[in-house]
Amino acid sequence: MADALRVKSLTKSYGNIPVLKGIDFSVQQGEIFALLGGNGAGKTTALECIEGLRACDDGEITINGKIGIQLQSSSLQAYIRPLEAVNLFSKWNKTQPDSEMLRSLGIYEISKKRYADLSTGQKRRLHLALALIGNPDIVFLDEPTAGLDVEARHSLHEQIKQLKKQGKTIILASHDMAEVETLCDRIAILKDGKIAFLGTIGELTAAVGKHYTLHITTPRGRQSYDTDHLTQTLLEKICEYHDKEIEITDVRTDRGTLEQHFIDIARGEQ
Ligand code: ATP
């Protein structure tokens, strides 16, 4: 599959403070790719350099296709109504609004409201619709679900999956691990101006280890154990509790979440 985006040795400083110290990655056509990192890691800087909205200091950026952008925070005139904004953006793009896309994002349902009266989730949907107006091949979304409630997040995730089904490439910035785990094909974790990890969620899990957490409940309370070797740890712990004549009332296991793995990388344990 061809690359939709290639980024090579991208650097960016603000004054004498380096934020991106030479980052390299590529995104294939049709992928959902996330840039992850803590606050101030440089996700927005990287996205906006790639989008051409900020000047980078050095590096090569190759984009194969038309792009659509949803910024981290956007605003429109308080009195504009959603369909007026859609028509305005369509004129700028010299295109007709795609009624199916507008319907699926619920824009007709909010068409009579003024922009200032829209909820955060409704504004996000409208800005996503505006980003999609020119029928872009590559869609950049900067923290698309920040501030949304569970239902609105779920609905936006479904929209993003739909875009992938249509063959679009999605590149998003996020620090929402659950979002990235359900949505993304590959991720890059930014740390100290560099990419600390680049790969799939499965590769991240494999790289960081600690695949399982074993929780054993006894009348004295619950103990949790991180392990890469579930069978061995389970046997050892059962024998240990048995030898100490402590009754086990419940045993549960869970796989480490991406959030734990991410925190491990962000703390530089790798
Ligand atoms: P967040 O998750 O909080 O949105 P981020 O990963 O998107 O953060 P950026 O917004 O790219 O991070 O900011 C990276 C660093 O660059 C931060 O320390 C920020 O203060 C700094 N920075 C961003 N924009 C500017 C600017 N225009 N001038 C000076 N410093 C800036």
Side-chain angles (χ1 to χ4, degrees), residues 22-65:
I23 61 169
D24 301 85
F25 65 92
S26 53
V27 181
Q28 288 184 349
Q29 275 173 16
E31 260 192 321
I32 304 184
F33 183 90
L35 277 179
L36 280 162
N39 287 129
K43 303 178 295 292
T44 298
T45 301
L47 279 192
E48 295 194 358
C49 285
I50 294 165
E51 293 157 359
L53 300 176
R54 294 191 199 197
C56 62
D57 299 335
D58 208 352
E60 251 176 58
I61 296 161
T62 312
I63 297 180
N64 292 314

Side-chain angles (χ1 to χ4, degrees), residues 12-15 17-20 35-48 54 72 142-143 173-175 190:
K12 170 77 180 170
S13 299
Y14 295 109
I17 301 170
V19 173
L20 303 175
L35 277 179
L36 280 162
N39 287 129
K43 303 178 295 292
T44 298
T45 301
L47 279 192
E48 295 194 358
R54 294 191 199 197
Q72 191 172 40
D142 197 342
E143 300 196 21
S174 178
H175 27 61
L190 282 178

Side-chain angles (χ1 to χ4, degrees), residues 162-174:
Q162 269 311 112
L163 294 176
K164 179 184 162 82
K165 280 194 189 141
Q166 292 163 18
K168 296 190 191 300
T169 307
I170 318 288
I171 300 167
L172 55 94
S174 178

